[in-house]
């Protein structure tokens, strides 16, 4: 199959819409990461997403809509809880996904057999324009091969999926750079299953009490069922071995310098670069600038693979306030939960 490269103009948006309405697969830009979209009401089209990505069938997809009214219009959920109206008012369109009881229109392939469905109204105008052009809600996971870092540019998508999907619509680099916050509204207390651009602090300011699922920062115990199936997989991982250090800034410099050598890299902050010796440095941004760190993280993880010779990457375990929690969640998975705790001074 030849994968068409489409551009950010009205004609190409209509082409994307036609391909999707006919059951095709098109990668589209969103403000978080690129999504691999198919008609969410067409079980066969949705099944092709799993095949193209090599995604485990037990991992459900997010349904993307162009307007809040699409939830009812397409019978996506059984009922809209009060909490969903409050969150939509505050954060939609934007990087927030809400899980609700699923409605009749959702094929089993989308919900992976669960009785719930995840719904998101993206902020990227091209994403919404494509949904409107397709005249159907779009199921879309991140447009990467399963297990590799999520794509934040059309080039990343092409690198993973060229020849496997009908088209990629290039809408430029993604602003947020990390996938949406996923919150379930079917538990007694709303619970964050995946942290993202909308922070836990922001969610609490609207809803009051909000829980954070254990799986956000911890490996599930053997046999424990994941509330969000995607959280149980090793994820976002470059081919090199990522090792996280829980330590102070000076301990980080000392540890990395004492492990320097060929094949060693540091995924670090701008301020570390002059102090590190004999290792390749890849900066996520200024210390404490979580938005930039989030924006660059997946591109940095992909660049590490591009260098080929890198075998070990050291990075710091980030702080967990604000968007830091999302950066930490992705880095911990990239590291396969491998964290070295240095003595705190
Ligand atoms: O920002 C995003 O959310 C991007 C863009 C394309 O919108 N999409 C994305 O999709 O990250 P994906 O499939 O890579 O991640 C969806 C996550 C997975 O961890 C999945 O297990 C979880 O959401 N999920 C989806 N439906 C769910 C459900 N009904 N119950 C629990 N978790 C669900
Ligand atoms: Mg993904």
């Amino acid at each position: 199959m030849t994968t068409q490269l489409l551009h950010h103009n009205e004609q190409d948006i209509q082409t994307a819409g036609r391909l999707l309405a006919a059951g095709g697969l098109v990668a589209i830009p969103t403000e978080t990461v690129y999504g691999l979209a198919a008609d969410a009401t067409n079980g066969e089209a949705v099944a092709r997403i799993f095949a193209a990505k090599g995604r485990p069938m037990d991992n459900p997809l997010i349904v993307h809509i162009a307007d809040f009214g699409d939830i009812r219009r397409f019978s996506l959920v059984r009922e809209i809880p009060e909490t969903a109206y409050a969150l939509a008012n505050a954060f939609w369109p934007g990087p927030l996904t809400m899980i609700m009881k699923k409605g009749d229109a959702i094929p089993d392939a989308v919900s992976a057999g669960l009785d719930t469905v995840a719904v998101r109204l993206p902020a990227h105008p091209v994403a919404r324009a494509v949904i409107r052009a397709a005249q159907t809600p779009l199921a879309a996971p991140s447009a990467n091969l399963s297990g590799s870092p999520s794509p934040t540019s059309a080039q990343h998508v092409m690198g993973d999926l060229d020849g496997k999907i009908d088209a990629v619509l290039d809408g430029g680099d993604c602003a947020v750079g990390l996938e949406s916050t996923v919150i379930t509204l079917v538990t007694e207390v709303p619970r964050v299953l995946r942290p993202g651009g909308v922070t836990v602090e922001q969610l609490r300011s609207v809803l009051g009490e909000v829980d954070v699922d254990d799986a956000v920062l911890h490996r599930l115990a053997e046999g424990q069922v994941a509330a969000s199936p995607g959280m149980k997989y090793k994820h976002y991982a470059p081919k090199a071995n990522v090792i996280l250090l829980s330590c102070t800034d000076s301990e980080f410099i000392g540890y990395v310098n004492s492990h320097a050598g060929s094949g060693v890299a540091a995924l670090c902050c701008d301020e570390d670069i002059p102090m590190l010796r004999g290792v390749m440095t890849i900066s996520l941004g200024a210390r404490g600038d979580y938005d930039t760190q989030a924006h660059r993280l997946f591109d940095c993880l992909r660049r590490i693979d591009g260098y080929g010779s890198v075998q070990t990457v050291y990075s710091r375990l980030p702080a967990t306030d604000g968007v830091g929690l999302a950066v930490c969640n992705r880095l911990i998975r990239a590291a396969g939960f491998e964290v070295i705790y240095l003595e705190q001074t």
Side-chain angles (χ1 to χ4, degrees):
M1 172 188 286
T2 310
T3 300
Q4 279 187 70
L5 187 58
L6 302 174
H7 296 281
H8 175 184
N9 59 55
E10 189 47 38
Q11 192 183 341
D12 282 7
I13 286 170
Q14 292 304 325
T15 304
R18 270 197 307 278
L19 287 167
L20 288 161
L25 299 187
V26 180
I28 61 168
T30 84
E31 74 281 19
T32 57
V33 301
Y34 275 71
L36 179 57
D39 177 354
T41 63
N42 177 341
E44 281 170 32
V46 170
R48 279 186 216 117
I49 292 179
F50 287 86
K53 279 181 60 94
R55 182 180 176 101
M57 295 296 291
D58 68 350
N59 195 2
L61 306 179
I62 296 171
V63 175
H64 297 70
I65 56 176
D67 297 286
F68 189 85
D70 287 352
I71 299 179
R72 250 189 239 296
R73 185 167 158 224
F74 293 104
S75 308
L76 301 184
V77 308
R78 206 153 357 119
E79 55 176 351
I80 303 177
E82 283 305 317
T83 43
Y85 290 102
L87 290 177
N89 266 329
F91 304 115
W92 274 2
L96 178 69
T97 296
M98 301 185 212
I99 295 176
M100 297 173 260
K101 291 280 181 201
K102 98 180 169 103
D104 300 333
I106 303 296
D108 277 346
V110 170
S111 55
L114 301 175
D115 64 350
T116 54
V117 63
V119 183
R120 177 159 112 80
L121 176 48
H124 201 304
V126 174
R128 294 206 304 274
V130 174
I131 298 166
R132 291 200 182 104
Q135 297 184 31
T136 180
L138 299 177
S142 48
N144 51 298
L145 288 174
S146 209
S148 72
S150 292
T152 56
S153 71
Q155 290 68 38
H156 291 163
V157 178
M158 275 299 202
D160 272 16
L161 297 174
D162 191 11
K164 297 184 169 178
I165 62 178
D166 295 286
V168 178
L169 203 163
D170 188 349
D173 286 356
C174 301
V176 179
L178 293 182
E179 306 89 340
S180 62
T181 303
V182 177
I183 187 167
T184 179
L185 304 179
V186 304
T187 44
E188 195 151 301
V189 175
R191 173 179 292 256
V192 171
L193 304 182
R194 180 177 73 183
V198 174
T199 65
V200 174
E201 292 87 340
Q202 287 175 305
L203 293 167
R204 286 187 178 138
S205 76
V206 173
L207 296 181
E209 208 183 347
V210 173
D211 289 338
V212 176
D213 200 76
D214 264 0
V216 165
L217 292 180
H218 304 284
R219 194 201 298 266
L220 288 174
E222 195 68 40
Q224 199 179 345
V225 175
S228 178
M231 286 283 107
K232 74 185 176 202
Y233 296 106
K234 177 167 176 178
H235 228 223
Y236 316 111
K239 294 180 188 86
N241 191 25
V242 179
I243 298 174
L244 289 179
L245 303 172
S246 172
C247 59
T248 62
D249 294 333
S250 60
E251 284 167 340
F252 180 73
I253 303 287
Y255 189 94
V256 175
N257 281 340
S258 69
H259 289 75
S262 69
V264 178
L267 184 59
C268 59
C269 300
D270 294 346
E271 292 84 347
D272 303 325
I273 292 176
M275 324 251 265
L276 291 167
R277 312 248 180 273
V279 296
M280 181 182 285
T281 54
I282 302 145
S283 178
L284 287 168
R287 201 170 281 162
D289 181 357
Y290 300 142
D291 287 340
T292 302
Q293 293 177 16
H295 177 74
R296 287 201 201 153
L297 178 65
F298 288 143
D299 186 57
C300 287
L301 292 175
R302 280 178 183 263
R303 267 169 38 215
I304 291 167
D305 276 346
Y307 297 138
S309 57
V310 176
Q311 277 147 24
T312 306
V313 186
Y314 293 106
S315 195
R316 271 192 202 79
L317 190 69
T320 54
D321 55 319
V323 178
L325 183 65
V327 175
C328 191
N329 168 269
R330 306 311 191 270
L331 265 176
I332 279 191
R333 279 167 175 75
F337 296 92
E338 196 171 341
V339 182
I340 296 176
Y341 292 86
L342 301 180
E343 226 172 19
Q344 302 283 327
T345 48

